[in-house]
Amino acid sequence: MPLIDISIGRGRTPEQLRALIAGVHDVAARTTGAADENITVIVREVDKELWSRSNTTIAEREASA
């Protein structure tokens, strides 16, 4: 029973998020042989001001680009 937990920066459209869920679900089904009803995908959107790498937030990187 795969449980796939994805964290992604906020800002995608509902259609993009739905496509992400469908794509990840399909890959999990194909590669693990798990039944559709046993695959769970969770997408957590994180505000760009709350996501940091190398002490710089996504918001700060986008503002300086």
Side-chain angles (χ1 to χ4, degrees):
M1 291 183 24
L3 168 61
I4 303 155
D5 193 339
I6 301 167
S7 295
I8 191 167
R10 191 173 306 284
R12 273 65 176 198
T13 66
E15 294 80 16
Q16 289 173 312
L17 295 171
R18 187 64 189 97
L20 173 63
I21 291 167
V24 169
H25 180 97
D26 290 345
V27 168
R30 254 195 344 267
T31 58
T32 67
D36 283 345
E37 62 272 12
N38 293 329
I39 299 171
T40 301
V41 179
I42 300 168
V43 177
R44 301 174 196 275
E45 290 187 283
V46 179
D47 291 331
K48 293 178 179 182
E49 295 80 11
L50 301 176
W51 189 312
S52 173
R53 181 176 42 197
S54 300
N55 199 31
T56 304
T57 67
I58 294 173
E60 291 166 338
R61 278 198 299 278
E62 287 180 348
S64 68

